[in-house]
């Protein structure tokens, strides 16, 4: 999953471990695309890869506008934002103790 985001040029990828903190998912991934078009493309490609590579169907919201797309795979929730929208909502500050942290590739398997 993280490799797909990196391949599609998602920026500022942050991974948050929710295990023991929330029943909604085990992990949350937050990333940015430079424009609405890129946000939609990153989201679409990720959903396609999840379906083809892992046989997982995802629930998706927000793809029509491309400002903030939420992809729910069950275990992992992925948020793909335009930078301005990400800055406004600041999900990292809500879920991470002490602010933001960078990508940790050892948490979520590719």
């Amino acid at each position: 999953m993280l490799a797909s985001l990196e391949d599609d040029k998602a920026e500022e990828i942050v991974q948050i471990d929710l295990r023991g903190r929330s029943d909604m998912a085990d992990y949350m991934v937050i990333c940015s695309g430079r424009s609405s078009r890129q946000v939609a493309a990153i989201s679409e490609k990720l959903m396609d890869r999840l379906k083809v590579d892992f046989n997982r169907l995802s629930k998706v919201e927000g793809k029509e506008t491309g400002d903030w797309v939420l992809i729910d795979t069950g275990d992992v929730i992925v948020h793909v934002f335009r930078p301005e929208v990400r800055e406004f909502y600041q999900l990292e500050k809500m879920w991470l103790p002490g602010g933001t942290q960078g990508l940790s590739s050892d948490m979520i398997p590719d």
Side-chain angles (χ1 to χ4, degrees), residues 15-59:
Q15 182 174 238
I16 303 167
D17 187 344
L18 299 177
R19 293 174 296 180
R21 296 174 55 199
S22 174
D23 291 333
M24 69 179 163
D26 291 335
Y27 295 97
M28 179 183 299
V29 176
I30 303 171
C31 64
S32 298
R34 293 185 192 149
S35 65
S36 296
R37 177 177 274 170
Q38 187 183 25
V39 167
I42 289 168
S43 303
E44 187 68 36
K45 287 182 182 180
L46 178 59
M47 290 185 307
D48 289 345
R49 286 185 181 129
L50 288 168
K51 183 178 179 182
V52 170
D53 296 345
F54 300 102
N55 200 29
R56 291 192 98 153
L57 296 177
S58 305
K59 297 176 187 170

Side-chain angles (χ1 to χ4, degrees), residues 90-105:
Q90 298 185 5
L91 291 184
E92 291 98 329
K93 288 187 179 183
M94 185 183 319
W95 286 100
L96 283 173
T100 62
Q101 76 184 41
L103 171 68
S104 174
S105 60

Side-chain angles (χ1 to χ4, degrees), residues 1-16 28-34 38-50 53-54 69 71 73 76-81 86 103 108-110:
M1 181 179 307
L2 296 176
S4 175
L5 295 172
E6 290 172 345
D7 289 347
D8 293 330
K9 308 293 188 237
E11 298 178 346
E12 299 181 46
I13 302 169
V14 175
Q15 182 174 238
I16 303 167
M28 179 183 299
V29 176
I30 303 171
C31 64
S32 298
R34 293 185 192 149
Q38 187 183 25
V39 167
I42 289 168
S43 303
E44 187 68 36
K45 287 182 182 180
L46 178 59
M47 290 185 307
D48 289 345
R49 286 185 181 129
L50 288 168
D53 296 345
F54 300 102
V69 179
I71 302 166
T73 70
V76 180
I77 296 173
V78 181
H79 298 273
V80 186
F81 288 101
R86 182 176 182 173
L103 171 68
I108 297 178
D110 288 333

